[in-house]
Amino acid sequence: MAKVVPLYKKDDPQLPCNYRPISLLSIFGKLLEKLMQNRLCTYLEKFNILYDYQFGFRKYYGTALALIEVIDSIYRHLDNHEKTIGVYLDLQKAFDTVNHDILIHKLSIYGIRGTTLTWFKNYLSNRKQFTVLADAKSDILNITCGVPQGSILGPLLFLIYVNDIQDCASEAKLKLFADDTNLFIFGKSFPEISTKSNSLLINLNKWFVANKLSLNIDKTCYSAFSNNPPNCNDYSQIDLKFNSVNIKKCESVKYLGVWIDDKLNWKVHIDYIYSKLAKFVGIFYKLSHKLPDDCLKMLYFSFVHPHILYGVEIYANTYTSYLEKLMKLNNKLLRILQKKRQI
């Protein structure tokens, strides 16, 4: 039995699709899940079953590693005078639409059989949930699909469910972070890459249909990278479609928390960090004379430093003139917290 609490994400709060359902589960059940997760992880690592470019919910993997892998591959092909198209696919409610029968079949294929497979069948069957919002409570309903968000085993089971997606685009090496699916295709010209991309997208569409997953085409987009100046890039030759629907082109895309622009000058991401940190100037002014130094230091390393540090290996590889305003803002915040005179 799960108590589901809707967690608001963004956009219109009146639309249910803008909430993430978080399942509050029995602590005893989660302890049992943790034991099974440890055994399952050991098995998957021993036989190297999980896809190499799956960076989500894995030990020694993370968003920073995924970002470095993607950006390095783009730079490497640009140095070889090749062009790149990055397609950012948005799976719709991926965790909630996992088919239990398909998941059990895939577990069996990966060698999880006998008593252990029976355990997983039991784990997924006869699950129930109700939703609580403020003082309102829904009726109790059966769960017929999906892995519980908020569970211990849910993320790992999802990785197993999508693990064979790699076979759809072996030429391009899909980059995955849980349900974030990204396709980077390289070639000598945009028409060549566009043709190759459409072929791979057809294969991916067949995989989504077979696995009962769907793509949110409104949030799916692509960006193009080239060494040539923007006015020399013939972007009109790029025509990407998914299930006969055109995919929109974006000059910058937020990928795992970092804004990647098509010029790779990182100005968009630097402006994004700057706008997040600028609001702390007035707040820190007011707090600097009311809190002890230890608390002020904690404030900096809690609210400022993580934003600057995250992705610094990538976005700091740009012109000093682009980074200057961010460095000045950081210095200003430090001086305020240390009660130093502003220069």
Side-chain angles (χ1 to χ4, degrees):
M1 177 73 72
K3 176 183 177 181
V4 178
V5 179
L7 185 66
Y8 174 66
K9 293 190 291 185
K10 59 180 180 180
D11 299 331
D12 188 356
Q14 300 297 322
L15 296 177
C17 62
N18 291 328
Y19 289 80
R20 177 179 286 112
I22 301 299
S23 301
L24 303 181
L25 301 166
S26 162
I27 188 66
F28 299 105
K30 294 180 91 168
L31 285 170
L32 184 60
E33 285 186 58
K34 186 65 178 177
L35 294 171
M36 181 56 80
Q37 184 206 35
N38 290 337
R39 294 186 63 184
L40 185 55
C41 282
T42 301
Y43 172 79
L44 295 173
E45 290 170 7
K46 179 180 178 180
F47 294 101
N48 195 29
I49 291 173
L50 292 180
Y51 180 44
D52 288 340
Y53 295 103
Q54 171 62 266
F55 295 93
F57 307 118
R58 298 178 67 184
K59 194 176 182 180
Y60 307 122
Y61 287 76
T63 53
L65 189 63
L67 284 163
I68 292 170
E69 166 64 31
V70 166
I71 300 304
D72 276 356
S73 64
I74 294 173
Y75 279 134
R76 187 166 60 252
H77 286 275
L78 289 177
D79 289 342
N80 292 331
H81 306 289
E82 292 181 307
K83 304 179 191 300
T84 303
I85 290 178
V87 186
Y88 308 90
L89 306 168
D90 186 84
L91 290 176
Q92 192 165 7
K93 303 293 182 186
F95 280 77
D96 301 326
T97 54
V98 168
N99 183 277
H100 291 170
D101 292 334
I102 295 175
L103 175 58
I104 292 296
H105 180 64
K106 290 187 178 187
L107 286 169
S108 176
I109 288 174
Y110 290 129
I112 300 163
R113 298 167 190 148
T115 304
T116 309
L117 187 64
T118 304
W119 188 94
F120 278 108
K121 288 179 181 177
N122 185 272
Y123 171 78
L124 292 169
S125 64
N126 198 31
R127 300 188 74 95
K128 300 177 185 297
Q129 68 178 25
F130 64 96
T131 304
V132 174
L133 183 62
D135 296 329
K137 185 171 74 170
S138 73
D139 295 331
I140 296 173
L141 296 174
N142 293 321
I143 302 173
T144 57
C145 63
V147 291
Q149 296 207 31
S151 66
I152 303 295
L153 272 173
L156 187 56
L157 291 175
F158 182 79
L159 296 192
I160 294 172
Y161 192 80
V162 300
N163 193 56
D164 59 332
I165 195 175
Q166 58 183 297
D167 300 326
C168 298
S170 55
E171 300 175 19
K173 296 294 182 188
L174 281 164
K175 303 297 190 298
L176 307 176
F177 190 90
D179 60 336
D180 280 336
T181 307
N182 304 279
L183 190 63
F184 293 89
I185 309 99
F186 312 96
K188 294 296 183 183
S189 67
F190 281 133
E192 173 196 340
I193 306 171
S194 183
T195 302
K196 190 187 296 184
S197 301
N198 281 315
S199 176
L200 293 172
L201 288 170
I202 290 171
N203 291 338
L204 283 170
N205 186 35
K206 291 177 181 177
W207 186 90
F208 290 143
V209 171
N211 288 274
K212 300 187 178 181
L213 296 174
S214 58
L215 197 71
N216 188 342
I217 195 65
D218 293 330
K219 293 184 179 180
T220 296
C221 62
Y222 77 90
S223 53
F225 306 91
S226 172
N227 278 328
N228 299 330
N231 56 354
C232 294
N233 291 334
D234 193 4
Y235 293 139
S236 62
Q237 295 179 331
I238 303 174
D239 182 25
L240 300 188
K241 296 180 184 294
F242 187 87
N243 202 18
S244 302
V245 179
N246 286 318
I247 299 176
K248 62 183 177 183
K249 180 184 180 298
C250 295
E251 293 183 357
S252 59
V253 178
K254 193 177 184 182
Y255 174 59
L256 299 180
V258 173
W259 283 93
I260 303 176
D261 60 276
D262 56 7
K263 301 179 186 65
L264 294 178
N265 58 26
W266 306 107
K267 287 179 69 176
V268 176
H269 184 67
I270 291 168
D271 290 342
Y272 170 71
I273 301 174
Y274 184 90
S275 65
K276 275 186 165 291
L277 301 185
K279 63 185 179 184
F280 290 112
V281 172
I283 297 171
F284 284 0
Y285 262 126
K286 294 177 181 179
L287 295 177
S288 60
H289 300 288
K290 297 181 179 180
L291 296 176
D293 291 344
D294 287 346
C295 289
L296 295 174
K297 181 180 178 181
M298 190 184 300
L299 283 175
Y300 175 81
F301 282 102
S302 298
F303 295 103
V304 177
H305 190 254
H307 289 295
I308 295 174
L309 187 64
Y310 181 66
V312 70
E313 308 94 336
I314 298 167
Y315 77 83
N317 183 30
T318 187
Y319 298 108
T320 306
S321 58
Y322 294 163
L323 290 167
E324 188 176 6
K325 71 174 189 177
L326 185 59
M327 292 189 291
K328 285 183 176 179
L329 177 60
N330 184 49
N331 291 338
K332 184 175 184 178
L333 292 169
L334 286 169
R335 287 183 172 276
I336 291 170
L337 293 175
Q338 296 177 79
K339 305 178 184 67
K340 302 291 185 181
R341 184 173 62 86
Q342 297 295 322
I343 298 175

